[in-house]
Amino acid sequence: MDRRTGRLLQRARILSQIIFTVLFFLLLVRSGGGDAARLPWAGLFFYFDPLFLWVSLLAGPFLRIFLLALAPLLLTLLLGRFFCGWICPLGAMNQFFTWLGARRGQRRMPVARKPLRLKYLLLAALLVASLFTVQLLGWIDPFSLLTRSAATVILPGANALLQQALLAGPEPLYELGRRVLLTVTQRSFLQAAGIGVIFLGLLLLNLHRRRFFCNYLCPLGALYGLLGRWSLLRLAINDKCRSCNACAAHCTYYGSPFKDYLKSECVLCFNCVSDCPEAAIDLRFGLPVSGRRPALDLGRRRLLGASAVGLAAAALPLIAPARSARTHSFLRPPGAVGEKEFLEKCIRCGACLQACPTNALQPAVFQAGLEGVWTPVLVPTSGYCEYECHRCTQVCPTHALARLTLEEKKQFKIGTAVIDRSACYTYADGYNCAVCEEHCPVPEKAIRFREVEVHDFRGRLRRVRQIYVVPDLCIGCGICESVCPRSDIPAIRVGAEEEQREIPYG
Amino acid sequence: MKRRTFVRNGMWVSSGLLVPALARAQGAPASPAAARSAPAVRAQTGGAAGVIQVKGTSPYEITRRAVAELGGMNQFVSRGDVVMVKPNIGWNRTTEQAACTHPEVLRAVIELAFAAGAKKVVVMDNTCHKAEDCYQRSGIEAMARRAGAEVRFSDENRLVLHDFKGEFLGKWPVYRDHLEVDKFINVPILKHHGSSGLTIAMKNLFGILGGNRGKLHRDMGENIADLANGFRSHLVVVDAWRVLVRNGPVGGRLSDVEERRTVIASPQIMHADVAAAALFGRDARQVEFLQAAHERGMGEIDIAKIALKSLSA
């Protein structure tokens, strides 16, 4: 292929990367407070992820929609790691930052096999751990990583910056921006700083090494690499080659089709073809000849070692107190399956965080134990579970939040409210309030008041409408806690008491 | 290489542009340049301002009829006015659940305001549930847009301190949209309310407030009265087409809703509320905020002393 064809392929690749990245963000933005009926589309990219096919196989019942992930797997056997180069939105962003960081006359690096191997070992460790019910693939899977980072950092951050910029400008412009671009309320997330620093760090590492995450860390890339070494399509050097090694100049993994060709690492970016002055690189299609499958040597011992690390990593959460604790302080979203099963099914992607209209769903820090980091918890001080909404249950790709109809969700008991009598105005101070009663969405009211005579803080006898909770009616939505007017601690709080998901039923 | 440098530099420059924006955001909020002075507002007390109560078969028609009986919208809206039409959009509930103002009542008011020469009609509320959900599910956003009104969300950046100069309610943050309009038409729905007994027009004014409104529940009746006394509603149109008679203000159960097929209109907020309370079956003297309003001299609390005209359309 000549340079022109190379440029053409390069441009086609960039176009494809842009299209899929835009599609990814469109789906994500739309799942935020969008029409619940259209939400299943939000999981589109997840269904094409073979790692999550694996998650669904292990955590059963198997969701047939994940069979879609066989498509990229099979295509990889044909084409190699096209997915990384042409489709993956996180790959595209890494590529963009790689391009930003490129400098003229940069010294060519030799291909470094050791760090390239890291991702395979990581994959092995994560897969082994997942066999022992410790499911951490979502921490680092590119779709989980990007969805989580976008939902908690990129989108809210962009919104905040845009709002401040618009506020500095003329008012009509601000009004227009507010109508068409900004969210009505600014969203905020626990750990946004942590998630953001990790994400920004990963992007900046591209300035240090080309597509850092993709080459050295991505477990999905590793999976595709394992298959890619068997692919029918490959790059080959023809006899026009004058051994100038110009093809190495922009190779994504610092190799080249001339020297250091690693089929398992090649993402078909076609930078080499457009760099070759002699049209010496061809695409060949055919069965891989045995002994001529250029790929990384992983090493049996290293793989065994990685598996052992996976085993050890699995043991730690298994012996952590969180697994056997009888009480816990966090709430799970509606539809959440029992905690043990939940941790296996949840891929920490944050799709539910994005879908939650009230910002109630938050990525856990350490409330749910170390393995529960970034799983969703419902935090009533930041939002409440909207009675007329079931969006989170519609977007969860792995059904860690079961698909509930709106009617089912209204019945689903997340927890139970409890009044703190030492803080509630109607008990502690002896005056009226009842904001929680007013907001309780249960039609027959799970929060009520009775008129009693109490001494107020001045010692005077007053008639006060004292609040009480009807635990059997309470669904634990948390709106009471979220609207309690106290400025220090909410005087009514929702805990996991009587949460429905831990009660065997059906 | 140039392109790359351009993008890279562009990123630095644009982040630099944000600095003044950030600096400004840190600065003091706009001074409360209230377009409407409170003392003038207090003049709305007074004898037996008329109340019209119309019962009929269409919420739209009875609304029009009620305003016509008051002498027409021209009495309240002048040519070129910017008019705020303030419904109750507090909850993520449907029209049938009767927690929010009926969109047909709203449509009639908006159309009448335009017919009377209004330059612009704005519809907004500070909701209790998530605003987008309330605006959509109540049907109010779509209806108001169709009727030509501008629908706005309450924006924290537009809060200013307003002095209500009341006994209990002094300075409190208000969305300045409500202070910047020429006329304010209060279009509440009549319904049961746990802690204040009822919510009608005076309580509907909570929707102009920002801040931690829950704090105002401590002396709810007094605060509502101060609020209504310190902020003028030029016209009140109470939607009592469907009335939530139990488990308000949010409700949800259709068995708690009764059809009353009525609209009550008056330029006198207290009298509108007293008449609506009577329709609900409550003696106004038993309603804390009406008692408090009466003590402030905002109007008659005895329904017998109010010029109430009831008719069927």
Side-chain angles (χ1 to χ4, degrees), chain A residues 112-179:
Chain A
R113 286 161 203 264
K114 251 189 209 165
L116 284 173
R117 232 164 7 217
L118 187 62
K119 61 177 176 293
Y120 296 97
L121 303 179
L122 202 56
L123 175 68
L126 289 171
L127 290 181
V128 167
S130 71
L131 287 173
F132 291 83
T133 74
V134 175
Q135 182 53 267
L136 306 175
L137 279 164
W139 275 357
I140 194 173
D141 172 272
F143 293 106
S144 279
L145 183 94
L146 185 55
T147 305
R148 184 174 63 233
S149 308
T152 62
V153 182
I154 303 174
L155 298 177
N159 191 75
L161 289 176
L162 197 60
Q163 173 169 334
Q164 296 304 340
L166 283 169
L167 274 172
E171 196 165 323
L173 189 67
Y174 168 74
E175 288 300 326
L176 181 73
R178 193 171 136 77
R179 243 196 322 273

Side-chain angles (χ1 to χ4, degrees), chain A residues 92-113:
Chain A
M93 293 169 80
N94 283 327
Q95 190 113 38
F96 176 72
F97 274 78
T98 298
W99 174 77
L100 272 187
R103 265 166 285 243
R104 190 197 294 274
Q106 191 184 31
R107 198 156 51 86
R108 198 186 93 71
M109 306 246 320
V111 63
R113 286 161 203 264

Side-chain angles (χ1 to χ4, degrees), chain A residues 96-104 161 163-165 167-169 171 174-175 178-179 183-185 187 357-358 384 386-389 391 406 410 425 431-435 437-445 449 457-458 462 465 479 483-487, chain B residues 1 3-5 7-8 11 18 20-22 24-26 91-93 97 128-133 136-137 145 150-158 176 180 192-196 203 212-215 217-220 247-253 256 288:
Chain A
F96 176 72
F97 274 78
T98 298
W99 174 77
L100 272 187
R103 265 166 285 243
R104 190 197 294 274
L161 289 176
Q163 173 169 334
Q164 296 304 340
L167 274 172
E171 196 165 323
Y174 168 74
E175 288 300 326
R178 193 171 136 77
R179 243 196 322 273
T183 51
V184 175
T185 40
R187 294 164 75 78
T358 68
Y384 61 93
E386 165 57 55
Y387 190 65
E388 297 285 347
C389 166
R391 286 170 194 139
L406 188 56
K410 287 180 180 176
Y425 295 146
Y431 57 76
N432 287 319
C433 177
V435 181
E437 183 270 348
E438 186 178 312
H439 282 75
C440 178
V442 179
E444 47 279 70
K445 292 283 181 195
F449 53 73
F457 54 89
R458 289 194 187 87
R462 281 181 62 148
R465 292 183 286 262
I479 195 169
V483 298
C484 177
R486 277 199 79 98
S487 316
Chain B
M1 216 50 94
R3 193 170 18 161
R4 172 160 35 235
T5 321
V7 175
R8 198 162 45 202
M11 283 169 72
L18 287 171
L22 291 169
R24 186 181 150 154
Q26 304 296 322
W91 310 93
N92 184 6
R93 292 289 180 270
Q97 290 168 319
C128 297
H129 283 150
K130 174 95 172 156
E132 299 97 305
D133 288 346
Q136 198 189 347
R137 196 178 184 82
R145 284 238 165 85
E150 180 185 326
V151 179
R152 284 186 207 156
F153 289 110
S154 293
D155 180 353
E156 267 181 53
N157 292 308
R158 296 175 67 86
R176 63 182 159 95
E180 286 166 354
H192 170 257
H193 190 283
S195 50
S196 64
K203 174 73 176 63
N212 186 352
R213 296 184 292 177
K215 296 263 192 206
H217 285 58
R218 174 173 168 181
D219 297 292
M220 182 86 134
N247 296 320
V250 55
R253 209 162 47 168
D256 291 338
E288 282 173 22

Side-chain angles (χ1 to χ4, degrees), chain A residues 182-204:
Chain A
L182 300 177
T183 51
V184 175
T185 40
Q186 174 64 46
R187 294 164 75 78
S188 56
F189 289 93
L190 294 173
Q191 275 210 67
I195 293 172
V197 165
I198 292 173
F199 189 72
L200 193 66
L202 287 176
L203 289 183
L204 291 180

